Amino acid sequence: DSGVTQTPKHLITATGQRVTLRCSPRSGDLSVYWYQQSLDQGLQFLIQYYNGEERAKGNILERFSAQQFPDLHSELNLSSLELGDSALYFCASSVVGVHTEAFFGQGTRLTVV
Amino acid sequence: AQKVTQAQTEISVVEKEDVTLDCVYETRDTTYYLFWYKQPPSGELVFLIRRNSFDEQNEISGRYSWNFQKSTSSFNFTITASQVVDSAVYFCALSEEGAQKLVFGQGTRLTINP
């Protein structure tokens, strides 16, 4: 168990809908990262938050947004969902930066139908 | 730009064989970090090792060993006396200093047959 908790584990929703994925980082970790894993794109970095502030942005669509709350948990919001958004979404956390050990949650498998 | 190449898409071996997973990386930075992660069938990503660019010492952890060679930009992973439980997808990843993200290779699916 990595100590990073993601909910829900599975999510099935229809095109056009909006979903929220939740991540609780390991105790003491200030950084949270979101990654998307799809068959065609592999593992892609989406966004990073550090202590509540956005620090780095990757290939995140405008329809997606994220935030980190004062208790350090993070949420990834996906809206106007398309079939191509079906993927495994991972949250990871680390003490400070990604150069320390980054531990991943079990992921949320999103299926858009 | 950062790039990681894992040329072996799939490897299948018989239990107890040794197997090496290749990882070649590209970066212009002199300070960077290399990682290996394991993704078993259950789906989670399990951290295996982190290595910085100034430490070229090989590392051994039980049946696992890693060979880092800056001259060839490679960070290969060897499993000795493989076991069925080693079956998983293995990812190599790179992070440049200050980049705040991991760039992953496409992964190598390793199947250990009994």
PDB file of all heavy atoms in Angstrom, chain A residues 54-78:
ATOM      1  N   GLU A  54      -0.834  25.534  -7.924  1.00  0.00           N
ATOM      2  CA  GLU A  54      -0.449  24.847  -9.150  1.00  0.00           C
ATOM      3  C   GLU A  54       1.015  25.135  -9.450  1.00  0.00           C
ATOM      4  O   GLU A  54       1.449  26.288  -9.450  1.00  0.00           O
ATOM      5  CB  GLU A  54      -1.313  25.317 -10.311  1.00  0.00           C
ATOM      6  CG  GLU A  54      -1.012  24.637 -11.634  1.00  0.00           C
ATOM      7  CD  GLU A  54      -1.804  25.238 -12.785  1.00  0.00           C
ATOM      8  OE1 GLU A  54      -3.040  25.300 -12.687  1.00  0.00           O
ATOM      9  OE2 GLU A  54      -1.158  25.671 -13.764  1.00  0.00           O
ATOM     10  N   ARG A  55       1.787  24.082  -9.721  1.00  0.00           N
ATOM     11  CA  ARG A  55       3.218  24.269  -9.946  1.00  0.00           C
ATOM     12  C   ARG A  55       3.656  23.920 -11.370  1.00  0.00           C
ATOM     13  O   ARG A  55       4.591  24.499 -11.891  1.00  0.00           O
ATOM     14  CB  ARG A  55       4.028  23.398  -8.982  1.00  0.00           C
ATOM     15  CG  ARG A  55       4.218  24.008  -7.620  1.00  0.00           C
ATOM     16  CD  ARG A  55       5.037  25.279  -7.664  1.00  0.00           C
ATOM     17  NE  ARG A  55       5.159  25.922  -6.383  1.00  0.00           N
ATOM     18  CZ  ARG A  55       6.115  25.667  -5.502  1.00  0.00           C
ATOM     19  NH1 ARG A  55       7.035  24.762  -5.782  1.00  0.00           N
ATOM     20  NH2 ARG A  55       6.159  26.315  -4.361  1.00  0.00           N
ATOM     21  N   ALA A  56       3.009  22.956 -11.960  1.00  0.00           N
ATOM     22  CA  ALA A  56       3.411  22.553 -13.308  1.00  0.00           C
ATOM     23  C   ALA A  56       2.202  21.991 -14.042  1.00  0.00           C
ATOM     24  O   ALA A  56       1.319  21.385 -13.437  1.00  0.00           O
ATOM     25  CB  ALA A  56       4.512  21.505 -13.249  1.00  0.00           C
ATOM     26  N   LYS A  57       2.203  22.232 -15.323  1.00  0.00           N
ATOM     27  CA  LYS A  57       1.102  21.781 -16.152  1.00  0.00           C
ATOM     28  C   LYS A  57       1.651  20.983 -17.325  1.00  0.00           C
ATOM     29  O   LYS A  57       2.640  21.366 -17.946  1.00  0.00           O
ATOM     30  CB  LYS A  57       0.326  22.997 -16.683  1.00  0.00           C
ATOM     31  CG  LYS A  57      -1.167  22.873 -16.630  1.00  0.00           C
ATOM     32  CD  LYS A  57      -1.805  24.221 -16.900  1.00  0.00           C
ATOM     33  CE  LYS A  57      -3.300  24.145 -16.723  1.00  0.00           C
ATOM     34  NZ  LYS A  57      -3.963  25.446 -16.879  1.00  0.00           N
ATOM     35  N   GLY A  58       0.981  19.889 -17.621  1.00  0.00           N
ATOM     36  CA  GLY A  58       1.394  19.075 -18.752  1.00  0.00           C
ATOM     37  C   GLY A  58       0.331  19.101 -19.825  1.00  0.00           C
ATOM     38  O   GLY A  58      -0.248  20.135 -20.125  1.00  0.00           O
ATOM     39  N   ASN A  59       0.055  17.926 -20.367  1.00  0.00           N
ATOM     40  CA  ASN A  59      -0.907  17.831 -21.469  1.00  0.00           C
ATOM     41  C   ASN A  59      -2.340  17.749 -20.956  1.00  0.00           C
ATOM     42  O   ASN A  59      -3.059  16.803 -21.254  1.00  0.00           O
ATOM     43  CB  ASN A  59      -0.595  16.597 -22.319  1.00  0.00           C
ATOM     44  CG  ASN A  59       0.810  16.650 -22.886  1.00  0.00           C
ATOM     45  OD1 ASN A  59       1.291  17.704 -23.266  1.00  0.00           O
ATOM     46  ND2 ASN A  59       1.484  15.508 -22.914  1.00  0.00           N
ATOM     47  N   ILE A  60      -2.752  18.739 -20.231  1.00  0.00           N
ATOM     48  CA  ILE A  60      -4.097  18.720 -19.660  1.00  0.00           C
ATOM     49  C   ILE A  60      -5.038  19.521 -20.545  1.00  0.00           C
ATOM     50  O   ILE A  60      -4.750  20.641 -20.939  1.00  0.00           O
ATOM     51  CB  ILE A  60      -4.097  19.246 -18.200  1.00  0.00           C
ATOM     52  CG1 ILE A  60      -5.460  19.032 -17.563  1.00  0.00           C
ATOM     53  CG2 ILE A  60      -3.607  20.680 -18.121  1.00  0.00           C
ATOM     54  CD1 ILE A  60      -5.466  19.216 -16.051  1.00  0.00           C
ATOM     55  N   LEU A  61      -6.155  18.892 -20.889  1.00  0.00           N
ATOM     56  CA  LEU A  61      -7.136  19.544 -21.738  1.00  0.00           C
ATOM     57  C   LEU A  61      -7.825  20.675 -20.986  1.00  0.00           C
ATOM     58  O   LEU A  61      -7.922  20.670 -19.764  1.00  0.00           O
ATOM     59  CB  LEU A  61      -8.184  18.522 -22.201  1.00  0.00           C
ATOM     60  CG  LEU A  61      -7.663  17.333 -23.011  1.00  0.00           C
ATOM     61  CD1 LEU A  61      -8.764  16.302 -23.215  1.00  0.00           C
ATOM     62  CD2 LEU A  61      -7.094  17.797 -24.339  1.00  0.00           C
ATOM     63  N   GLU A  62      -8.342  21.634 -21.739  1.00  0.00           N
ATOM     64  CA  GLU A  62      -9.061  22.750 -21.108  1.00  0.00           C
ATOM     65  C   GLU A  62     -10.328  22.283 -20.410  1.00  0.00           C
ATOM     66  O   GLU A  62     -10.805  22.940 -19.479  1.00  0.00           O
ATOM     67  CB  GLU A  62      -9.398  23.816 -22.159  1.00  0.00           C
ATOM     68  CG  GLU A  62      -8.192  24.637 -22.563  1.00  0.00           C
ATOM     69  CD  GLU A  62      -8.587  25.857 -23.388  1.00  0.00           C
ATOM     70  OE1 GLU A  62      -9.799  26.168 -23.461  1.00  0.00           O
ATOM     71  OE2 GLU A  62      -7.682  26.474 -23.960  1.00  0.00           O
ATOM     72  N   ARG A  63     -10.871  21.160 -20.837  1.00  0.00           N
ATOM     73  CA  ARG A  63     -12.069  20.605 -20.205  1.00  0.00           C
ATOM     74  C   ARG A  63     -11.765  19.982 -18.840  1.00  0.00           C
ATOM     75  O   ARG A  63     -12.672  19.631 -18.089  1.00  0.00           O
ATOM     76  CB  ARG A  63     -12.691  19.522 -21.093  1.00  0.00           C
ATOM     77  CG  ARG A  63     -13.096  19.987 -22.467  1.00  0.00           C
ATOM     78  CD  ARG A  63     -13.753  18.874 -23.256  1.00  0.00           C
ATOM     79  NE  ARG A  63     -12.802  17.887 -23.752  1.00  0.00           N
ATOM     80  CZ  ARG A  63     -12.696  16.655 -23.299  1.00  0.00           C
ATOM     81  NH1 ARG A  63     -13.455  16.233 -22.298  1.00  0.00           N
ATOM     82  NH2 ARG A  63     -11.817  15.795 -23.826  1.00  0.00           N
ATOM     83  N   PHE A  64     -10.481  19.846 -18.546  1.00  0.00           N
ATOM     84  CA  PHE A  64     -10.065  19.257 -17.273  1.00  0.00           C
ATOM     85  C   PHE A  64      -9.545  20.354 -16.361  1.00  0.00           C
ATOM     86  O   PHE A  64      -8.875  21.294 -16.816  1.00  0.00           O
ATOM     87  CB  PHE A  64      -8.960  18.230 -17.491  1.00  0.00           C
ATOM     88  CG  PHE A  64      -9.347  17.022 -18.309  1.00  0.00           C
ATOM     89  CD1 PHE A  64     -10.623  16.862 -18.832  1.00  0.00           C
ATOM     90  CD2 PHE A  64      -8.410  16.031 -18.553  1.00  0.00           C
ATOM     91  CE1 PHE A  64     -10.969  15.749 -19.579  1.00  0.00           C
ATOM     92  CE2 PHE A  64      -8.737  14.907 -19.295  1.00  0.00           C
ATOM     93  CZ  PHE A  64     -10.008  14.767 -19.813  1.00  0.00           C
ATOM     94  N   SER A  65      -9.782  20.214 -15.082  1.00  0.00           N
ATOM     95  CA  SER A  65      -9.220  21.150 -14.119  1.00  0.00           C
ATOM     96  C   SER A  65      -8.934  20.400 -12.824  1.00  0.00           C
ATOM     97  O   SER A  65      -9.472  19.307 -12.596  1.00  0.00           O
ATOM     98  CB  SER A  65     -10.183  22.307 -13.849  1.00  0.00           C
ATOM     99  OG  SER A  65     -11.368  21.827 -13.245  1.00  0.00           O
ATOM    100  N   ALA A  66      -8.098  20.983 -12.005  1.00  0.00           N
ATOM    101  CA  ALA A  66      -7.755  20.332 -10.742  1.00  0.00           C
ATOM    102  C   ALA A  66      -7.576  21.385  -9.675  1.00  0.00           C
ATOM    103  O   ALA A  66      -7.438  22.580  -9.962  1.00  0.00           O
ATOM    104  CB  ALA A  66      -6.482  19.495 -10.901  1.00  0.00           C
ATOM    105  N   GLN A  67      -7.597  20.942  -8.431  1.00  0.00           N
ATOM    106  CA  GLN A  67      -7.268  21.830  -7.338  1.00  0.00           C
ATOM    107  C   GLN A  67      -6.779  20.997  -6.163  1.00  0.00           C
ATOM    108  O   GLN A  67      -7.052  19.794  -6.077  1.00  0.00           O
ATOM    109  CB  GLN A  67      -8.461  22.689  -6.934  1.00  0.00           C
ATOM    110  CG  GLN A  67      -9.727  21.950  -6.598  1.00  0.00           C
ATOM    111  CD  GLN A  67     -10.885  22.909  -6.308  1.00  0.00           C
ATOM    112  OE1 GLN A  67     -10.692  23.973  -5.729  1.00  0.00           O
ATOM    113  NE2 GLN A  67     -12.088  22.541  -6.711  1.00  0.00           N
ATOM    114  N   GLN A  68      -6.039  21.666  -5.288  1.00  0.00           N
ATOM    115  CA  GLN A  68      -5.579  21.034  -4.057  1.00  0.00           C
ATOM    116  C   GLN A  68      -6.095  21.868  -2.900  1.00  0.00           C
ATOM    117  O   GLN A  68      -5.915  23.086  -2.860  1.00  0.00           O
ATOM    118  CB  GLN A  68      -4.051  20.946  -4.005  1.00  0.00           C
ATOM    119  CG  GLN A  68      -3.534  20.153  -2.800  1.00  0.00           C
ATOM    120  CD  GLN A  68      -2.017  20.052  -2.767  1.00  0.00           C
ATOM    121  OE1 GLN A  68      -1.312  20.914  -3.269  1.00  0.00           O
ATOM    122  NE2 GLN A  68      -1.505  18.999  -2.151  1.00  0.00           N
ATOM    123  N   PHE A  69      -6.709  21.212  -1.958  1.00  0.00           N
ATOM    124  CA  PHE A  69      -7.381  21.876  -0.855  1.00  0.00           C
ATOM    125  C   PHE A  69      -6.452  22.059   0.345  1.00  0.00           C
ATOM    126  O   PHE A  69      -5.365  21.460   0.390  1.00  0.00           O
ATOM    127  CB  PHE A  69      -8.615  21.053  -0.464  1.00  0.00           C
ATOM    128  CG  PHE A  69      -9.653  21.012  -1.556  1.00  0.00           C
ATOM    129  CD1 PHE A  69      -9.596  20.064  -2.566  1.00  0.00           C
ATOM    130  CD2 PHE A  69     -10.682  21.948  -1.587  1.00  0.00           C
ATOM    131  CE1 PHE A  69     -10.533  20.033  -3.583  1.00  0.00           C
ATOM    132  CE2 PHE A  69     -11.629  21.920  -2.598  1.00  0.00           C
ATOM    133  CZ  PHE A  69     -11.546  20.967  -3.593  1.00  0.00           C
ATOM    134  N   PRO A  70      -6.853  22.893   1.308  1.00  0.00           N
ATOM    135  CA  PRO A  70      -5.977  23.125   2.475  1.00  0.00           C
ATOM    136  C   PRO A  70      -5.569  21.855   3.218  1.00  0.00           C
ATOM    137  O   PRO A  70      -4.492  21.811   3.811  1.00  0.00           O
ATOM    138  CB  PRO A  70      -6.824  24.043   3.360  1.00  0.00           C
ATOM    139  CG  PRO A  70      -7.672  24.811   2.392  1.00  0.00           C
ATOM    140  CD  PRO A  70      -8.005  23.818   1.299  1.00  0.00           C
ATOM    141  N   ASP A  71      -6.414  20.831   3.197  1.00  0.00           N
ATOM    142  CA  ASP A  71      -6.006  19.583   3.868  1.00  0.00           C
ATOM    143  C   ASP A  71      -5.127  18.726   2.959  1.00  0.00           C
ATOM    144  O   ASP A  71      -4.790  17.594   3.294  1.00  0.00           O
ATOM    145  CB  ASP A  71      -7.222  18.791   4.334  1.00  0.00           C
ATOM    146  CG  ASP A  71      -8.051  18.259   3.173  1.00  0.00           C
ATOM    147  OD1 ASP A  71      -7.779  18.622   2.006  1.00  0.00           O
ATOM    148  OD2 ASP A  71      -8.986  17.477   3.418  1.00  0.00           O
ATOM    149  N   LEU A  72      -4.748  19.266   1.818  1.00  0.00           N
ATOM    150  CA  LEU A  72      -3.826  18.694   0.833  1.00  0.00           C
ATOM    151  C   LEU A  72      -4.434  17.623  -0.074  1.00  0.00           C
ATOM    152  O   LEU A  72      -3.742  17.157  -0.987  1.00  0.00           O
ATOM    153  CB  LEU A  72      -2.554  18.141   1.500  1.00  0.00           C
ATOM    154  CG  LEU A  72      -1.749  19.188   2.268  1.00  0.00           C
ATOM    155  CD1 LEU A  72      -0.535  18.537   2.933  1.00  0.00           C
ATOM    156  CD2 LEU A  72      -1.311  20.327   1.350  1.00  0.00           C
ATOM    157  N   HIS A  73      -5.700  17.280   0.132  1.00  0.00           N
ATOM    158  CA  HIS A  73      -6.277  16.363  -0.831  1.00  0.00           C
ATOM    159  C   HIS A  73      -6.516  17.121  -2.142  1.00  0.00           C
ATOM    160  O   HIS A  73      -6.589  18.362  -2.158  1.00  0.00           O
ATOM    161  CB  HIS A  73      -7.550  15.690  -0.299  1.00  0.00           C
ATOM    162  CG  HIS A  73      -8.828  16.406  -0.599  1.00  0.00           C
ATOM    163  ND1 HIS A  73      -9.357  17.374   0.225  1.00  0.00           N
ATOM    164  CD2 HIS A  73      -9.674  16.272  -1.648  1.00  0.00           C
ATOM    165  CE1 HIS A  73     -10.483  17.808  -0.314  1.00  0.00           C
ATOM    166  NE2 HIS A  73     -10.709  17.163  -1.435  1.00  0.00           N
ATOM    167  N   SER A  74      -6.616  16.377  -3.209  1.00  0.00           N
ATOM    168  CA  SER A  74      -6.753  17.005  -4.523  1.00  0.00           C
ATOM    169  C   SER A  74      -7.919  16.385  -5.273  1.00  0.00           C
ATOM    170  O   SER A  74      -8.298  15.233  -5.026  1.00  0.00           O
ATOM    171  CB  SER A  74      -5.469  16.810  -5.329  1.00  0.00           C
ATOM    172  OG  SER A  74      -5.582  17.372  -6.620  1.00  0.00           O
ATOM    173  N   GLU A  75      -8.490  17.168  -6.153  1.00  0.00           N
ATOM    174  CA  GLU A  75      -9.565  16.692  -7.010  1.00  0.00           C
ATOM    175  C   GLU A  75      -9.256  17.045  -8.463  1.00  0.00           C
ATOM    176  O   GLU A  75      -8.739  18.132  -8.748  1.00  0.00           O
ATOM    177  CB  GLU A  75     -10.908  17.296  -6.598  1.00  0.00           C
ATOM    178  CG  GLU A  75     -11.382  16.810  -5.247  1.00  0.00           C
ATOM    179  CD  GLU A  75     -12.723  17.400  -4.832  1.00  0.00           C
ATOM    180  OE1 GLU A  75     -13.259  18.250  -5.566  1.00  0.00           O
ATOM    181  OE2 GLU A  75     -13.218  17.006  -3.765  1.00  0.00           O
ATOM    182  N   LEU A  76      -9.567  16.105  -9.325  1.00  0.00           N
ATOM    183  CA  LEU A  76      -9.428  16.317 -10.763  1.00  0.00           C
ATOM    184  C   LEU A  76     -10.823  16.295 -11.354  1.00  0.00           C
ATOM    185  O   LEU A  76     -11.550  15.318 -11.196  1.00  0.00           O
ATOM    186  CB  LEU A  76      -8.566  15.217 -11.380  1.00  0.00           C
ATOM    187  CG  LEU A  76      -8.348  15.287 -12.896  1.00  0.00           C
ATOM    188  CD1 LEU A  76      -7.515  16.515 -13.281  1.00  0.00           C
ATOM    189  CD2 LEU A  76      -7.645  14.014 -13.393  1.00  0.00           C
ATOM    190  N   ASN A  77     -11.205  17.395 -11.975  1.00  0.00           N
ATOM    191  CA  ASN A  77     -12.524  17.528 -12.565  1.00  0.00           C
ATOM    192  C   ASN A  77     -12.439  17.371 -14.078  1.00  0.00           C
ATOM    193  O   ASN A  77     -11.650  18.067 -14.729  1.00  0.00           O
ATOM    194  CB  ASN A  77     -13.115  18.894 -12.220  1.00  0.00           C
ATOM    195  CG  ASN A  77     -13.235  19.085 -10.731  1.00  0.00           C
ATOM    196  OD1 ASN A  77     -13.973  18.370 -10.060  1.00  0.00           O
ATOM    197  ND2 ASN A  77     -12.486  20.034 -10.192  1.00  0.00           N
ATOM    198  N   LEU A  78     -13.251  16.474 -14.599  1.00  0.00           N
ATOM    199  CA  LEU A  78     -13.269  16.223 -16.035  1.00  0.00           C
ATOM    200  C   LEU A  78     -14.671  16.537 -16.533  1.00  0.00           C
ATOM    201  O   LEU A  78     -15.655  15.964 -16.031  1.00  0.00           O
ATOM    202  CB  LEU A  78     -12.925  14.763 -16.339  1.00  0.00           C
ATOM    203  CG  LEU A  78     -11.729  14.151 -15.581  1.00  0.00           C
ATOM    204  CD1 LEU A  78     -11.592  12.666 -15.916  1.00  0.00           C
ATOM    205  CD2 LEU A  78     -10.461  14.890 -15.901  1.00  0.00           C
TER     206      LEU A  78
END
